[in-house]
Amino acid sequence: MSFFPKISFQHEVEEYLTKVFRNNELITALGTQEAESKYQSLLSHLSHPPGFTTVRVNTHLASVKHVKKLLFEEIQKQFKGLCVPVLEHPKIQDILLIPVIGPRQDLKKHASEVIVGAHCGYAVLRGAHVYVPGIISTSRFMKAGDLVSVYSDIEGKCKRGAKEFEGVKVFLGNGISELSRSEIFSSSGPLNGMGIRMIERVYLSPSFDNVLPSHLFLQNLPSVVVSHILNPQPGERILDMCAAPGGKTTHLATLMRDQGEVIAMDKIANKVKKIKQNAELLQLNCIKAFCYDGIKALSVEKREDEQEGPPFLPESFDRILLDAPCSGMGQRPNMAYSSTLKEVTSYQPLQRKLFTVAVKLLKPGGVLVYSTCTITLSENEEQVAWALKTFPCLQLQPQEPHIGGEGMRGAGLSLDQLKLLQRFDPSAVTLQGMDINSLQDSREDDLISLANKDCIGFFIAKFIKSNSK
């Protein structure tokens, strides 16, 4: 059941993707009709939010059972007594899953309208309130305390400060304005803080604003799986090459029981600041974050022994996570993907440069996990085929837990190799809404199975570096 239109792309990107999902290997294996059906289903899923909100428990500070109880009480308070379960995952024991109720099609729309930017809109669909920087336009006479309907400008056509907007807009729900129109668009510069407090969303997800901030970390399910697959051990030296905003970094440190060293790098200073803030909030001390470009992280000459930051000598790390910069096409919800084909195809060479550095920095016998949040072949399975050909020292490894699907055909990998890869493909499940009645009739096992599939598009490969040079 599709509530929003399918994701839209620029024409050249659409043509590119169509070729990817109609490649000869895939058509030979599935047949034209099934391959096309899966692709169209994927496009529909991408414009809708995942069926579950996933939070990772900071087990460094609290038990999953304790946080589950606190979270259940918080959700009951937010949802005014509506009984939405908080589920534990049998294979990923540090996450909690909250089913998303929606789409709710019976919401009344109000005359006073607020238009928000696409990214703000996507956050609202996943439980956020509306903050002032995300507001583009409001009705002419909006006052603080007004009931308003919130819409997303998915094509980016609305002019800031407009009093009305007739372009393509998607209804997100209703809220109460915290500020007047004149305060929001004040000439003294944009305010920060909450602009609209959402009270009825098309998709009902809890807000996590200041909810158990040192105990919970909002993360997509596959992003949590990645750190478990790397499986860092206490006392090891770990590198998170492209680490911002620090969700995986802090997870790695937690899995190591805060013993050892996690080096986190990102080349943007504000993002490094965010990693440090998250490490402090979650009370993790083994993380060292540096503002540095991963491509330059390999040192060609002997270093001063006291220098703890990059660049690093070859074979310096026991395990490396390369959650690579990517085209991000697996993120949900996304109704209009704005990148050009040139931008989409620019990621493969960048990822290869980073991967080459990662292989050199890894100790013999060490583990390298490569991941992306995108759906293309060129950034996923093609990178694996290239890596195995370029670096004979690397071998693909089984992944644990393995809850996503296998790799996609089209890059010339064998069926055995594809089975070792993990591709989270939202089209693996029928797009369906969830209301409170169907939720209460569902078995917990079925809900967990749905959560494993109805998540963002994501890809994971795990390699080990052999001891022989």
Side-chain angles (χ1 to χ4, degrees):
M1 181 192 66
S2 195
F3 183 70
F4 298 127
K6 288 175 184 169
I7 185 173
S8 66
F9 298 98
Q10 293 197 16
H11 178 66
E12 56 182 7
V13 175
E14 192 171 345
E15 283 189 331
Y16 169 80
L17 274 184
T18 303
K19 283 178 188 162
V20 169
F21 285 89
R22 289 180 189 156
N23 76 71
N24 291 338
E25 270 189 68
L26 207 54
I27 298 290
T28 304
L30 301 179
T32 307
Q33 203 170 343
E34 192 183 336
E36 183 61 24
S37 171
K38 277 179 71 69
Y39 177 47
Q40 294 304 323
S41 170
L42 177 62
L43 299 183
S44 290
H45 277 82
L46 290 176
S47 65
H48 294 71
F52 293 77
T53 301
T54 306
V55 291
R56 176 172 60 79
V57 176
N58 179 16
T59 53
H60 178 57
L61 293 185
S63 73
V64 173
K65 290 269 187 269
H66 176 62
V67 175
K68 179 181 177 179
K69 179 176 175 290
L70 296 177
L71 186 56
F72 181 73
E73 289 166 1
E74 169 65 28
I75 290 170
Q76 279 217 305
K77 196 165 66 183
Q78 283 191 32
F79 291 177
K80 299 184 170 51
L82 197 64
C83 196
V84 175
V86 176
L87 307 171
E88 292 179 57
H89 196 293
K91 288 190 173 178
I92 317 165
Q93 286 164 359
D94 51 1
I95 67 168
L96 295 169
L97 298 162
I98 304 119
V100 174
I101 308 295
R104 299 192 293 166
Q105 304 190 43
D106 56 346
L107 299 183
K108 181 188 168 203
K109 295 176 184 173
H110 300 287
S112 189
E113 294 185 356
V114 171
I115 310 292
V116 301
H119 287 288
C120 174
Y122 303 149
V124 169
L125 286 172
R126 297 200 70 176
H129 295 291
V130 176
Y131 287 81
V132 173
I135 298 174
I136 301 172
S137 148
T138 75
S139 293
R140 187 184 301 264
F141 301 113
M142 188 185 81
K143 305 183 299 297
D146 281 359
L147 269 174
V148 298
S149 286
V150 179
Y151 296 82
S152 175
D153 168 29
I154 60 171
E155 294 181 343
K157 299 277 176 70
C158 184
K159 288 192 166 54
R160 181 169 168 79
K163 297 182 176 74
E164 54 185 41
F165 177 59
E166 298 303 325
V168 178
K169 58 189 180 187
V170 170
F171 178 57
L172 305 174
N174 299 316
I176 296 170
S177 176
E178 298 282 307
L179 301 162
S180 67
R181 174 187 166 84
S182 57
E183 287 173 307
I184 289 168
F185 298 115
S186 153
S187 57
S188 57
L191 292 157
N192 287 315
M194 196 182 294
I196 311 293
R197 184 164 43 85
M198 297 300 294
I199 55 170
E200 297 176 314
R201 294 179 178 84
V202 166
Y203 282 91
L204 185 60
S205 297
S207 165
F208 284 89
D209 288 347
N210 294 315
V211 173
L212 305 169
S214 60
H215 289 71
L216 291 179
F217 202 97
L218 259 177
Q219 249 179 310
N220 288 299
L221 182 142
S223 303
V224 180
V225 171
V226 167
S227 301
H228 283 290
I229 287 165
L230 190 67
N231 193 25
Q233 300 300 306
E236 289 184 333
R237 193 171 193 225
I238 310 295
L239 176 62
D240 188 353
M241 274 186 89
C242 306
K248 297 179 187 73
T249 308
T250 53
H251 192 195
L252 294 170
T254 306
L255 292 173
M256 295 162 71
R257 300 198 287 277
D258 204 23
Q259 295 166 27
E261 188 177 42
V262 180
I263 301 287
M265 290 192 306
D266 203 277
K267 65 178 186 179
I268 298 169
N270 280 347
K271 292 186 173 183
V272 175
K273 190 176 168 189
K274 186 72 180 163
I275 296 168
K276 290 178 178 176
Q277 286 170 347
N278 281 325
E280 194 175 326
L281 181 66
L282 301 176
Q283 296 179 35
L284 294 161
N285 301 310
C286 75
I287 294 167
K288 292 173 182 162
F290 299 96
C291 185
Y292 208 81
D293 183 350
I295 290 171
K296 300 171 183 168
L298 182 70
S299 176
V300 285
E301 51 204 44
K302 198 94 177 95
R303 302 157 23 115
E304 297 295 323
D305 280 347
E306 285 77 42
Q307 186 190 331
E308 59 177 9
F312 303 104
L313 288 172
E315 302 181 356
S316 290
F317 294 93
D318 298 291
R319 299 174 200 255
I320 296 177
L321 172 60
L322 174 52
D323 184 45
C326 71
S327 58
M329 287 188 194
Q331 292 291 3
R332 296 173 62 194
N334 189 350
M335 294 173 207
Y337 183 83
S338 58
S339 295
T340 63
L341 183 59
K342 187 178 179 184
E343 288 168 324
V344 169
T345 54
S346 70
Y347 288 100
Q348 191 191 63
L350 170 63
Q351 291 158 353
R352 290 185 178 183
K353 286 176 185 170
L354 288 163
F355 196 99
T356 301
V357 171
V359 173
K360 291 175 180 172
L361 289 175
L362 188 63
K363 292 177 183 176
V367 172
L368 167 59
V369 170
Y370 172 83
S371 63
T372 75
C373 59
T374 197
I375 59 175
T376 65
L377 273 172
S378 64
E379 299 170 76
N380 296 327
E381 289 83 357
E382 281 183 19
Q383 298 294 52
V384 172
W386 164 81
L388 293 173
K389 189 178 172 186
T390 309
F391 304 103
C393 60
L394 293 184
Q395 293 168 305
L396 269 181
Q397 292 292 294
Q399 300 182 28
E400 184 55 44
H402 198 301
I403 59 178
E406 59 188 41
M408 188 166 102
R409 298 167 196 249
L413 294 168
S414 71
L415 292 184
D416 286 344
Q417 288 171 325
L418 292 176
K419 282 178 183 153
L420 293 172
L421 305 176
Q422 197 160 189
R423 182 183 265 256
F424 288 83
D425 175 7
S427 72
V429 66
T430 307
L431 189 61
Q432 58 193 67
M434 177 85 75
D435 60 33
I436 198 70
N437 295 327
S438 62
L439 177 59
Q440 283 163 353
D441 292 342
S442 300
R443 290 172 52 241
E444 188 164 319
D445 288 357
D446 294 336
L447 290 172
I448 299 294
S449 175
L450 183 61
N452 289 343
K453 298 181 178 78
D454 193 3
C455 55
I456 65 168
F458 205 89
F459 177 84
I460 310 171
K462 178 182 181 181
F463 302 88
I464 193 163
K465 184 176 179 180
S466 61
N467 284 302
S468 56
K469 296 276 182 178

